[in-house]
DNA sequence: AATTCATTTGGTAATTTTGCCAAATAAGCA
DNA sequence: TGCTTATTTGGCAAAATTACCAAATGAATT
């Protein structure tokens, strides 16, 4: 694999890596219903606010979210809604996996 | 976030995490054009065969690939083709990021 | 200006991931 | 059977990720 190809796949992996965490998937799902402030997400997630903030930074740096400061709160929202299409296919994989598991048990 | 919700997002994240590596994205892309044996992928990737084999295991364990041994070779193929839909959106994110970068420079 | 509230940043320890080597396994062939 | 080829597995050191706490920043309010 040449350097240029390598770089292209690294860029893609960076975006996917940003989504590859349960909390960050939850955030994406939550923001699909509209923007939310950091404190709102913290309440839903139940982790330390600094942890939530860092997850949001990861998603923002990857280009998946954008933020806007209004008053003393920072609101985050999805920048690229097509990200949501991922969920359907991931769910398909999980269903297929469940089938595979139960088939393995039957053997 | 309650335990059940947590578990659901962990399962989803496991699938996405399996894709979150440049070499594994390359493998998915390559297999979208048809099955390939481990050695074929190794030639394209240029890493140690054991490294390639482990990447394939990660994708297989996640339910993204399936394998079949024929003779002394093992062939891998996509088990859930909808995975390919991801690439389009990831590309959109990258294009948006490129725009964002150049806009930042102009300022 | 001092205080408060929301958020980010720095630092750190624990955990996970990665890639290579060497050794084990498995199938086909001499 | 012994040998070669293809792949997987075990082990390990280096690198990356994660979550928390404490401290810093920044805007609004007193």
């Amino acid at each position: 694999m040449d350097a240029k190809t390598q770089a292209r796949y690294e860029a893609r992996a960076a975006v996917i890596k940003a989504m590859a965490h349960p909390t960050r998937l939850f955030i994406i799902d939550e923001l699909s219903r509209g923007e939310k402030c950091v404190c709102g997400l913290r309440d839903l997630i139940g982790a330390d606010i600094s942890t939530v903030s860092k997850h949001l930074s990861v998603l923002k740096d990857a280009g998946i979210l954008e933020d806007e400061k209004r008053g003393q709160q920072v609101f985050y929202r999805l920048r690229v809604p097509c990200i949501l299409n991922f969920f359907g296919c991931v769910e398909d994989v999980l269903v297929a996996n469940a089938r595979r598991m139960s088939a393995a048990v039957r053997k």
Side-chain angles (χ1 to χ4, degrees), chain A:
Chain A
M1 186 152 40
D2 63 290
K4 200 175 166 187
T5 305
Q6 175 74 22
R8 183 160 62 247
Y9 283 98
E10 270 169 19
R12 290 173 178 172
V15 175
I16 295 183
K17 204 180 285 192
M19 304 201 305
H21 188 285
T23 300
R24 295 200 290 267
L25 284 184
F26 176 83
I27 289 172
I28 291 172
D29 219 1
E30 210 47 53
L31 295 185
S32 74
R33 290 193 277 283
E35 65 170 24
K36 282 203 166 52
C37 68
V38 182
C39 54
L41 289 165
R42 190 237 4 235
D43 293 345
L44 291 167
I45 293 165
D48 192 277
I49 184 108
S50 71
T51 301
V52 174
S53 175
K54 276 177 185 171
H55 280 308
L56 289 164
S57 288
V58 170
L59 289 167
K60 183 187 163 190
D61 291 348
I64 295 170
L65 303 185
E66 58 189 4
D67 63 343
E68 186 185 350
K69 186 156 197 169
R70 291 204 301 273
Q72 40 191 350
Q73 293 175 320
V74 177
F75 291 86
Y76 280 87
R77 57 177 167 263
L78 285 187
R79 198 166 74 101
V80 192
C82 65
I83 284 293
L84 295 169
N85 302 341
F86 285 42
F87 288 104
C89 181
V90 170
E91 219 55 45
D92 287 354
V93 174
L94 293 176
V95 169
N97 285 352
R99 244 194 280 282
R100 183 167 54 124
M101 293 304 167
S102 57
V105 169
R106 274 198 298 281
K107 277 187 183 172

